[in-house]
Amino acid sequence: MTSLTWKSYQLPLLVFTILTLISGCKSTPEPDSKAQITKIPAVLSHYPADVKITGDDIVDIQLALGDRNLYLNQNGNIKMQSTRQCPIDIAAHRGDYRQPESSNLAIAAALNDNYNSVEIDVMLLKDGTWVNHHDKYTGRATVHYTGQRYKVEKMKLNQFAQLKLRNKQSHDLLDIRPITAYEAFQTFVAYRSPGQKLNVEIKSDTYGQKLVELDNMLRQLVGQGHFYYSSADLDTLEKLRGINPTTYLGFVQGAHPTSVELLQRDLRRGVKNDAYYLDNQNKLEFVGKYGTKRYRSRYKNYASSKGVTNLVRKLGRNSGLHLDIRSYMQHKKVKRYAEDFGMKTYTYSINGSEYHQSQLLRLSRASLPHGAIVDATPFKICQQLFSPAKPKGNYHALSAVGRYIEALPADADFDQFQQMLGYQHEGYYISLNSGLKAINARQTTVVETPKAKTTATPMFPTIVDETIETRSTNTIILTLPSNKDER
């Protein structure tokens, strides 16, 4: 069994090793002498290892953030020191949503940002290689250098290695290739912290032997108990239960028909916006070539007592139901049904992270699902659902930035910390829900564009019509420029 398993990922390992060696030959970074002598200050010794320790007033800034259970990491992002106050499992959808899909960066960044688990998608190539990829076709997240669109299951590894990833924000092509499943598992092992798990969602409909090889690869690299499976195909999960009797299996129920209709409507409206269309068209893959009416007729709902019982019969008790948030909200008893069998419930959304979050906020703490698969940071989920990042009052800042952090209200959006710093002298901050707001306003009202104090080159003033008294007034003389020099 081991020899068969090794053959299945020996080739991607060889390719990965060669590419690594080639990239290493380009330039080997010299050790940074400053980094070697820089030590974490004693007062920050209990902070996570990636805490930023260089910069003006950095210790004061970190201590002010630490009073809120936050810290500034080396990449300039604000992170939570601990997510223990968040009782639900926060899973990173396809890794960190800000990083390129199907990349080592997405997995590593999600693990560093304290997600409880990281969800990745795996598919089979024509030659039997498992790869980290979501879409059936190239063109959205990955692009072939020729511009030709390929069906992933028809590709071989040498063709897959020629794909390039897209930047998530600009959609420009990057000089980074997508990775194999073997490389994804290696990255997870290299960056994980104790307790973090890998959620492997299987996109390919395949026979049992290839699933055996995948399971063996995960057991050897990641270790039993540190990974689990999910799939929208119940037959695939049944096969996996025979292969691995103890691991968690999550059945991904199709999105609610209303969610599909809303997404289709939004796509029709945004069809002229290439970036929007590119981001969202893949969410309709499970609909296939069928229209919404046909989708409704084929849609199966397991969020009932009978549905949950059927899942337990096929998958066992160490399993769960992963639901579109709209389905979960319409069947709130599903959590109780699942817990009666020792099962779990997770939610996701195809209508955007803001909608997902807004629906979770409507639930009582006891009614929340066991986990949420999200395109948002753990900070944003925990901040809104559970404990806001309020200062405990154990530290009083000394620097201007530190005092600004100390004064920020509980709804401050620390995901936009760098942008907020631009408003500190005006007394404004960015709210999680309401945009720009004044810190000391008695009634927090949204401020669209605060007047900035600056000594830079004067800009053209905003011209506002004055109210003119028409009953009695002096003559108004307007002088227009007569030549170029007077303009």
Side-chain angles (χ1 to χ4, degrees), residues 176-189:
I176 306 174
R177 62 180 178 82
I179 56 177
T180 64
Y182 186 90
E183 293 170 284
F185 302 160
Q186 281 191 320
T187 301
F188 175 80
V189 172

Side-chain angles (χ1 to χ4, degrees), residues 438-445:
I439 291 178
N440 296 318
R442 291 182 181 179
Q443 295 182 351
T444 50
T445 54

Side-chain angles (χ1 to χ4, degrees), residues 47 59-68 395 397 402 405-406:
Y47 280 53
V59 171
D60 186 65
I61 291 170
Q62 294 290 14
L63 292 175
L65 288 168
D67 201 41
R68 293 173 172 264
Y395 179 74
I405 293 169
E406 197 173 50

Side-chain angles (χ1 to χ4, degrees), residues 12-58:
L13 175 60
L14 178 60
V15 172
F16 173 65
T17 304
I18 293 172
L19 290 171
T20 303
L21 290 173
I22 291 173
S23 62
C25 292
K26 290 180 181 178
S27 63
T28 303
E30 294 295 329
D32 187 346
S33 58
K34 291 183 179 179
Q36 289 180 334
I37 61 173
T38 302
K39 294 182 180 180
I40 297 179
V43 291
L44 303 180
S45 60
H46 61 287
Y47 280 53
D50 64 337
V51 60
K52 182 177 176 63
I53 56 175
T54 58
D56 295 339
D57 302 312
I58 191 61

Side-chain angles (χ1 to χ4, degrees), residues 20 138 175-176 183 225 232 296 332 487:
T20 303
T138 63
D175 193 19
I176 306 174
E183 293 170 284
R296 279 190 178 274
K332 295 178 183 176
R487 290 178 187 173

Side-chain angles (χ1 to χ4, degrees), residues 238-472:
E238 285 188 85
K239 293 173 187 175
L240 282 166
R241 178 52 77 215
I243 295 167
N244 193 325
T246 60
T247 195
Y248 172 88
L249 302 177
F251 174 61
V252 183
Q253 179 174 294
H256 192 283
T258 301
S259 297
V260 175
E261 290 171 0
L262 290 172
L263 179 60
Q264 287 181 324
R265 183 196 66 188
D266 290 344
L267 283 177
R268 284 193 293 269
R269 289 176 177 175
V271 69
K272 294 181 180 179
N273 184 336
D274 292 340
Y276 180 86
Y277 190 83
L278 203 62
D279 274 339
N280 291 281
Q281 63 164 329
N282 70 95
K283 296 177 182 176
L284 293 175
E285 275 197 356
F286 56 86
V287 183
K289 297 180 181 179
Y290 299 102
T292 304
K293 290 183 179 179
R294 182 66 182 273
Y295 178 75
R296 279 190 178 274
S297 67
R298 297 168 63 243
Y299 174 73
K300 291 184 179 180
N301 177 37
Y302 288 84
S304 63
S305 179
K306 183 179 179 180
V308 170
T309 302
N310 188 32
L311 287 178
V312 172
R313 181 175 58 81
K314 293 185 176 185
L315 305 180
R317 292 178 178 270
N318 190 21
S319 59
L321 181 57
H322 298 193
L323 290 164
D324 177 14
I325 185 62
R326 197 180 303 275
S327 297
Y328 187 87
M329 298 298 290
Q330 291 184 7
H331 302 88
K332 295 178 183 176
K333 291 183 179 179
V334 65
K335 182 180 180 181
R336 191 188 72 195
Y337 298 148
E339 289 180 336
D340 287 344
F341 290 103
M343 295 176 63
K344 293 181 179 180
T345 53
Y346 280 71
T347 58
Y348 68 90
S349 177
I350 64 171
N351 299 130
S353 59
E354 295 301 325
Y355 174 74
H356 191 184
Q357 183 81 335
S358 71
Q359 297 306 295
L360 291 174
L361 285 168
R362 292 174 55 192
L363 297 169
S364 66
R365 188 160 181 162
S367 300
L368 287 169
H370 298 93
I373 305 165
V374 298
D375 294 299
T377 63
F379 162 76
K380 185 161 285 188
I381 300 294
C382 294
Q383 174 81 356
Q384 291 186 304
L385 292 180
F386 304 109
S387 303
K390 296 179 180 178
K392 299 181 182 67
N394 297 328
Y395 179 74
H396 297 289
L398 303 175
S399 67
V401 176
R403 288 192 294 271
Y404 176 68
I405 293 169
E406 197 173 50
L408 288 173
D411 66 336
D413 187 355
F414 281 94
D415 279 342
Q416 302 188 64
F417 178 65
Q418 299 300 332
Q419 294 92 318
M420 276 201 298
L421 289 180
Y423 300 109
Q424 62 174 308
H425 298 300
E426 283 72 41
Y428 295 103
Y429 72 103
I430 301 174
S431 165
L432 281 166
N433 301 312
S434 308
L436 206 59
K437 297 171 68 175
I439 291 178
N440 296 318
R442 291 182 181 179
Q443 295 182 351
T444 50
T445 54
V446 180
V447 181
E448 296 296 334
T449 20
K451 191 179 295 183
K453 298 177 181 178
T454 177
T455 56
T457 304
M459 302 296 289
F460 289 107
T462 302
I463 300 175
V464 180
D465 290 338
E466 294 181 349
T467 303
I468 300 177
E469 174 59 63
T470 58
R471 288 173 297 180
S472 61

Side-chain angles (χ1 to χ4, degrees), residues 140-183:
R140 181 188 64 87
T142 57
V143 180
H144 195 261
Y145 75 95
T146 62
Q148 184 175 347
R149 197 163 183 247
Y150 283 89
K151 192 171 185 178
V152 174
E153 66 179 18
K154 299 294 184 183
M155 301 180 76
K156 294 184 178 180
L157 183 59
N158 62 337
Q159 293 174 304
F160 185 80
Q162 294 172 340
L163 296 176
K164 291 185 180 295
L165 298 175
R166 285 189 190 271
N167 181 288
K168 290 289 284 288
Q169 285 73 41
S170 67
H171 296 282
D172 294 335
L173 293 185
L174 303 170
D175 193 19
I176 306 174
R177 62 180 178 82
I179 56 177
T180 64
Y182 186 90
E183 293 170 284

